[in-house]
Structures are given as structure tokens and as C-alpha cells.
Amino acid sequence: MSLLSIDNLSKSFTQGENHIQILNNLDFNLEKGKTASIIGKSGSGKSTLLSLLAGLDRPDTGSIKFCGQDICSMNEESITQLRNGKIGIVFQQFHLISHLTALENVCLPLEIQGKQNETEYAKQFMERVGLSHRLDHLPSQLSGGEKQRVAIARSLIIRPELLLADEPSGSLDDKTGDDVMNLIFELVKEENTGLVLVTHNRSLATQCDQTWSLSGGGLVPEDNNAQ
Ligand SMILES: Nc1ncnc2c1ncn2[C@@H]1O[C@H](COP(=O)(O)OP(=O)(O)OP(=O)(O)O)[C@@H](O)[C@H]1O
Ligand SMILES: [Mg+2]
């Protein structure tokens, strides 16, 4: 079954007199529970594409069907609701809420869904990402790897259909980055969550079911077995 189906997606930005076409009639498909990675030069539009997939920005033309629903024709409220229930997002720079503890950050998506008293469940999730001993720490009291583990727990606690990850290991050292990525791969596999991973790291990219390069505004398939 198709989780994501993108047709003819185009997005441009105008700045002053300059009009730049970032995505140009881009097509993409992802089946439920499958993983895809996107590589590409800086400025090629990878984060722009993820923003569109998350419904955080709107395309100029084209359609993005998520579980058969065209999110481009939804109003803001419906998109927000869809995102809160079915889409997890992890960024390079963690984006944790600084005045909330690690556990409170992880509980937040459930509270937004109106689910109170889920602390025990959130604690179990914190244990799953190896952070049982850091529940009451504020983000400023956590290491980079720990912050990203909190962000991963926060994104997956709603059991989303799709995880969007934009350079999740990009600001971590190699070993910590590998640990964080292995955790993401393990969790999405366990939960049969679809994954779109943006990364500069080709060896990480090839661990996904499919690898694409964003170039000239479109996605070009990469051979996962090529050196
Ligand atoms: N809101 C905006 N207004 C104007 N230009 C924008 C806007 N957002 C992105 N751009 C431009 O679109 C291009 C693509 O940006 P994007 O962030 O998607 O690149 P990227 O592939 O994620 O790069 P990186 O690998 O460096 O993260 C860049 O040239 C950027 O300057
Ligand atoms: Mg980017």
C-alpha cells in the first residue's frame, strides 16, 4: 500500500528580483513501512522537500498524497491534525523545548493529542532509547547524542506512519551519529514506520530500501550497491 505518493511537485522561491526553482516536477513514491534516503548537494532542496512532505510549507503545483489523502488540498487545521497524529519529524538541531525536561518533551505530542497520564508509557519509551537515567534533565543538561535520542523518542511516541529525518546525525560525532541512526533504523523497523531520511552520509543512505539523489529539482535513483 502506498504511504506517500508525490506527483509533479514544484516549488520555487522569490527573493527580491530572483526567482529560483527548487523542485521541478518531482515524482516520488514510498510504500508503507519502507525506508528511503535522499542525498544531494547543499542547497539542492532536500529540506524544502521534507517541509512540503510534513505539510509545513505548500508547493506551487503538484500533489502529495499521504495514505491516499492529498495534503495539498487540506486546510491548515487538518494538516496540523494529520501531522500530530501520523508524522514524526527529527531535525539536525534537535528542536527540543528548552524549559521542559527530557520526559516532558517526550510526553508533549501525546498531550497535544489530548492524552493525559501517559507518563508511564513515555518512561518506557525513554528506556527504549536508553535514557531512563535522564528523565528529569533539561535539554541544556544533555549531550548532543542524548538530545537527539529525546527528539527521536518524541517523534516516535505517537507511533507515526512516517518519520521524516533531516540530517539527524549531522551535528554529532561519527560514533554518536551511528548509534543514533542505528536506533532510528531499529525503531522504524520494529514499528513498520515509513522513513524518509535526508543525509550527506552515503553509507547511511544505502542502508535504506531505496536511495535517491536530489538534483536539478528532481529525484534520481542511486544504485545502493555501487561504491
Ligand atoms: N523561505 C525561503 N525563501 C527563499 N529561499 C529559500 C527559502 N527556503 C529555502 N530557500 C532556498 O532554497 C534552496 C534549497 O534550500 P534547502 O534548505 O532545501 O537545501 P538543502 O538541500 O536542504 O541544503 P543543505 O544540505 O545545506 O541543508 C536554497 O538555495 C535556499 O536558499
Ligand atoms: Mg537541509
Side-chain angles (χ1 to χ4, degrees):
M1 197 186 125
S2 180
L3 176 63
L4 263 181
S5 169
I6 301 178
D7 279 307
N8 260 315
L9 197 70
S10 292
K11 177 75 183 173
S12 57
F13 292 109
T14 305
Q15 238 182 3
E17 306 224 317
N18 291 331
H19 180 80
I20 36 172
Q21 191 72 36
I22 305 296
L23 306 177
N24 197 1
N25 291 325
L26 178 145
D27 297 318
F28 176 68
N29 266 292
L30 188 69
E31 296 292 302
K32 221 170 166 333
K34 293 288 181 193
T35 59
S37 54
I38 298 176
I39 56 177
K41 283 196 308 222
S42 179
S44 57
K46 304 180 296 297
S47 297
T48 303
L49 176 60
L50 283 203
S51 297
L52 297 176
L53 296 186
L56 294 167
D57 198 359
R58 302 271 187 175
D60 300 339
T61 54
S63 73
I64 301 173
K65 290 208 177 90
F66 180 78
C67 300
Q69 278 183 295
D70 186 358
I71 63 169
C72 304
S73 62
M74 285 180 171
N75 63 26
E76 288 303 321
E77 195 186 339
S78 307
I79 291 186
T80 303
Q81 214 171 9
L82 178 85
R83 191 170 48 239
N84 290 342
K86 294 195 170 167
I87 301 176
I89 312 177
V90 182
F91 301 96
Q92 181 173 349
Q93 295 301 337
F94 324 126
H95 292 280
L96 297 176
I97 309 235
S98 60
H99 65 274
L100 296 183
T101 65
L103 184 62
E104 287 166 346
N105 265 283
V106 172
C107 282
L108 195 61
L110 296 171
E111 283 166 19
I112 290 170
Q113 289 184 346
K115 294 180 185 152
Q116 306 293 332
N117 307 318
E118 295 280 353
T119 313
E120 275 317 305
Y121 175 56
K123 280 186 183 167
Q124 283 168 25
F125 226 95
M126 289 292 275
E127 189 172 346
R128 183 66 190 81
V129 301
L131 284 181
S132 296
H133 57 311
R134 293 285 184 271
L135 301 181
D136 298 324
H137 280 56
L138 292 169
S140 60
Q141 299 167 325
L142 297 171
S143 72
E146 287 170 342
K147 279 189 259 212
Q148 199 57 304
R149 282 168 186 271
V150 174
I152 291 165
R154 183 183 57 179
S155 69
L156 291 177
I157 197 156
I158 57 164
R159 302 210 150 129
E161 295 279 339
L162 174 66
L163 179 66
L164 300 172
D166 196 348
E167 294 278 358
S169 57
S171 58
L172 304 172
D173 65 68
D174 286 352
K175 163 81 174 70
T176 311
D178 283 351
D179 290 348
V180 157
M181 275 316 306
N182 285 335
L183 180 66
I184 290 180
F185 285 134
E186 257 174 56
L187 291 172
V188 296
K189 199 163 187 189
E190 265 170 36
E191 295 284 337
N192 201 35
T193 311
L195 171 69
V196 179
L197 167 70
V198 166
T199 180
H200 280 111
N201 183 328
R202 194 172 278 266
S203 72
L204 272 183
T206 53
Q207 289 180 47
C208 289
D209 298 319
Q210 31 174 295
T211 302
W212 300 88
S213 170
L214 184 52
S215 167
L219 287 172
V220 181
E222 292 275 310
D223 183 356
N224 264 359
N225 298 314
Q227 286 305 306

